[in-house]
Amino acid sequence: MMNANVRILVVDDEPPIRKLLRVGLGSQGYAVSEAPNAKAAIELMEQEKPDLVLLDLGLPGMSGHELLRKWRDDGLDIPVVILSSRTDEAGIVNALELGADDYVTKPFGMNELVARIRVALRHKFQQQGEKPVFQSGDLSVDLVKRIVKVEGKEIKLSPKEYDILRILVQHAGKVLTHHFILKQIWGDSTDVQYLRVYVRQLRQKIEKTPDQPHHITTETGVGYRLRVVE
């Protein structure tokens, strides 16, 4: 996948941020379009059919949340990475529940942002279906045989522990909200503390240092992410 063939729509009302992204992403070979508000973003979406959107939540007029809801209601499945200048965890969670793929908080590093973009695009361009074996560093998960190995040694997981790991593997590199994981595995009635207990148990089995996890990272107030190590 050549970056030059990938068009990114930046939706942000701050000119310095748009310039930073235009220059930074341009230097990475991406084609960048800019919109200062939702109205311009809707027009550019129809005209240019971008491959990914970087969306600020604090837009004037129609908010980023409202714009994202409109696009998802219209059936647009384009990857969306949220740009948030706030530490408003509830706002980030809301955006993820509305269908955003990931988020970065301002100020952000360009390397971090490009990594998030690559993950979101990889999920878009991949053919549907799971790779039978997921590999990240010393962690290996065979999704067909349900075999989990760390450093080549098989690890025994409980059914719920495996289910949590499987969900994370299926969305490797992306942040998953507590609510999403709970809904996938238990339905909506289970308390988030129940999930934390299982994640703690899972880390005890697959992490070298469970208190400083390498594979399953915590997105504070939001959820969990399975890191992808090439």
Side-chain angles (χ1 to χ4, degrees):
M1 180 178 66
M2 296 295 293
N3 290 352
N5 297 326
V6 176
R7 177 164 293 279
I8 295 177
L9 173 58
V10 174
V11 188
D12 196 300
D13 64 327
E14 298 181 58
I17 294 293
R18 295 202 306 274
K19 180 179 179 181
L20 170 69
L21 293 170
R22 181 175 69 249
V23 174
L25 295 176
S27 71
Q28 296 284 330
Y30 293 106
V32 179
S33 300
E34 302 172 44
N37 53 51
K39 182 176 182 295
I42 291 169
E43 292 173 356
L44 283 172
M45 178 65 72
E46 294 176 354
Q47 294 169 7
E48 300 189 352
K49 304 292 191 295
D51 297 293
L52 179 140
V53 176
L54 296 178
L55 177 62
D56 179 38
L57 292 179
L59 296 175
M62 180 186 286
S63 71
H65 287 107
E66 292 171 312
L67 179 57
L68 177 58
R69 181 182 287 108
K70 171 182 166 46
W71 279 337
R72 293 309 189 221
D73 287 347
D74 289 345
L76 284 172
D77 61 355
I78 182 171
V80 175
V81 176
I82 295 298
L83 303 176
S84 175
S85 58
R86 296 167 290 180
T87 55
D88 176 16
E89 295 165 359
I92 293 169
V93 170
N94 187 21
L96 291 167
E97 297 290 353
L98 285 170
D101 292 75
D102 213 331
Y103 74 97
V104 293
T105 53
K106 301 175 186 176
F108 50 80
M110 192 56 63
N111 289 341
E112 177 192 11
L113 177 60
V114 168
R116 297 282 188 263
I117 288 171
R118 286 176 177 162
V119 168
L121 288 171
R122 185 163 64 240
H123 280 275
K124 177 189 176 183
F125 291 129
Q126 273 179 343
Q127 292 182 340
Q128 292 298 314
E130 303 168 355
K131 292 183 178 180
V133 179
F134 169 82
Q135 185 79 41
S136 178
D138 63 4
L139 175 66
S140 170
V141 182
D142 188 321
L143 294 166
V144 176
K145 298 178 181 178
R146 296 172 66 96
I147 294 174
V148 178
K149 293 182 179 180
V150 175
E151 295 183 333
K153 181 180 179 181
E154 186 171 346
I155 304 298
K156 296 298 183 183
L157 301 181
S158 72
K160 281 290 186 289
E161 290 166 354
Y162 178 81
D163 285 344
I164 292 169
L165 183 58
R166 174 179 54 81
I167 293 291
L168 289 166
V169 165
Q170 288 171 334
H171 301 274
K174 294 175 65 174
V175 59
L176 301 183
T177 66
H178 298 126
H179 177 257
F180 178 84
I181 300 172
L182 289 169
K183 185 176 180 181
Q184 292 292 313
I185 298 176
W186 286 284
D188 293 322
S189 60
T190 306
D191 188 272
V192 69
Q193 187 58 35
Y194 203 54
L195 173 60
R196 291 193 179 106
V197 170
Y198 275 101
V199 169
R200 191 179 307 122
Q201 292 174 185
L202 183 55
R203 283 171 169 162
Q204 291 288 339
K205 295 181 179 181
I206 70 170
E207 301 281 5
K208 287 183 178 178
T209 310
D211 291 340
Q212 298 176 340
H214 176 74
H215 294 296
I216 302 175
T217 61
T218 297
E219 301 284 326
T220 304
V222 178
Y224 298 101
R225 185 194 305 269
L226 182 64
R227 291 181 67 244
V228 180
V229 180
E230 302 295 342

